[in-house]
Amino acid sequence: MCHDFTTGENRIGPSLKGIIGRTAGTYPGYEYTFTKYLKGKPWVWTEAKLRRWDNDSERAVREFTHNPAAKTKMPRQAYTGATEDEIINYIQMASQGVKLPPQAGSQVSCKMCHDFVTGKNKIGPSLKGVLGRKAGTYPGYKYKFTKYIKGEPWVWTEEKIRKWDNNSEEAIKEFTGNPEARTLMPPQHRTGSDEDEIISFIKVTSSADADKE
C-alpha cells in the first residue's frame, strides 16, 4: 500500500527495492523525515533492523539514530509472529529479485489489516467468508459505517469489493445511500492486475476449503 518493491518508484513511503543491505535514508527522490535526526552515519538495513522497525518504528528510529527526539513518517505497526515473518519473507524475496508467487503481494497487503482463515479481527474485521456476507455483521468487530446505513446492509459481492478496494470513501457513500458516510479503511485506488490479484486472493480464502490450506 505504501511501498513499491520492484519498479523503484516511491509512494507514500520510499521504494523498498533492494532494501536489505542498503544504507538507510538514501533511496533517490524520497524525502525522509528521520535523516535530520541522525547522529553519525546512517545504519544499514538488515533483517534484524527491519524486524525492529516493523514491530515498533517509533522506538526503532530513536534507537537507530541515537536520538531520543527522532521521528519517522511511518506509523507504528507492531507486527509480530507469523505476520511479521510473512512480511520479512516478502521483503527478502523482492529485494533479491526473486520471482514472487502470484498472490504474495495480495497476502501481505491484505493480511496486515485483515485475517482470512482463523476468524480473528485485526485493525479491520476478519474477511473469512466475506463473499456473500452482509456488510457490517462480522462478530466482535466495531464497524464505523453501520450507523450510516439506511435500510438493510448490502451483501458483499465481487463487484462491491472491487469498488470498495478502489475507493472506499466513495463506495461507502454509494452502498449506504448516505453522502455523509465514513469508513475506517482508507481508499486503496487499486486497479487492473493489482485489483485482480486481491480479488483472486479473497475468493480463495473465502472458499469453504480455505481452512485446509
Side-chain angles (χ1 to χ4, degrees), residues 133-184:
R133 190 169 80 209
K134 281 189 177 181
T137 62
Y138 202 82
Y141 186 77
K142 188 176 182 180
Y143 292 85
K144 185 176 183 178
F145 65 72
T146 49
K147 65 182 179 182
Y148 298 105
I149 292 176
K150 296 178 179 179
E152 282 289 306
W154 66 93
V155 172
W156 285 114
T157 62
E158 178 180 333
E159 180 185 6
K160 278 187 162 52
I161 288 176
R162 283 183 180 274
K163 284 189 175 183
W164 187 272
D165 194 50
N166 178 254
N167 193 333
S168 52
E169 289 182 353
E170 292 301 318
I172 191 62
K173 296 172 186 176
E174 177 186 337
F175 297 169
T176 60
N178 189 332
E180 302 300 321
R182 299 287 184 272
T183 172
L184 294 172

Side-chain angles (χ1 to χ4, degrees), residues 63-94:
E63 177 186 334
F64 297 170
T65 59
H66 306 290
N67 189 331
K71 306 291 184 187
T72 172
K73 293 177 185 176
M74 181 173 168
R76 182 174 178 268
Q77 305 299 329
Y79 295 120
T80 58
T83 301
E84 185 183 33
D85 291 341
E86 198 169 74
I87 292 171
I88 295 298
N89 183 53
Y90 181 68
I91 290 174
Q92 286 177 325
M93 290 191 296

Side-chain angles (χ1 to χ4, degrees), residues 24-67:
T26 62
Y27 202 82
Y30 187 77
E31 186 177 346
Y32 292 85
T33 302
F34 66 76
T35 49
K36 65 182 178 182
Y37 297 104
L38 281 168
K39 294 182 178 180
K41 293 182 179 180
W43 65 95
V44 172
W45 285 112
T46 62
E47 179 183 332
K49 278 188 161 53
L50 283 170
R51 284 182 178 274
R52 296 186 78 143
W53 189 273
D54 198 45
N55 179 251
D56 191 340
S57 53
E58 292 177 358
R59 180 178 294 180
V61 74
R62 295 193 291 266
E63 177 186 334
F64 297 170
T65 59
H66 306 290
N67 189 331

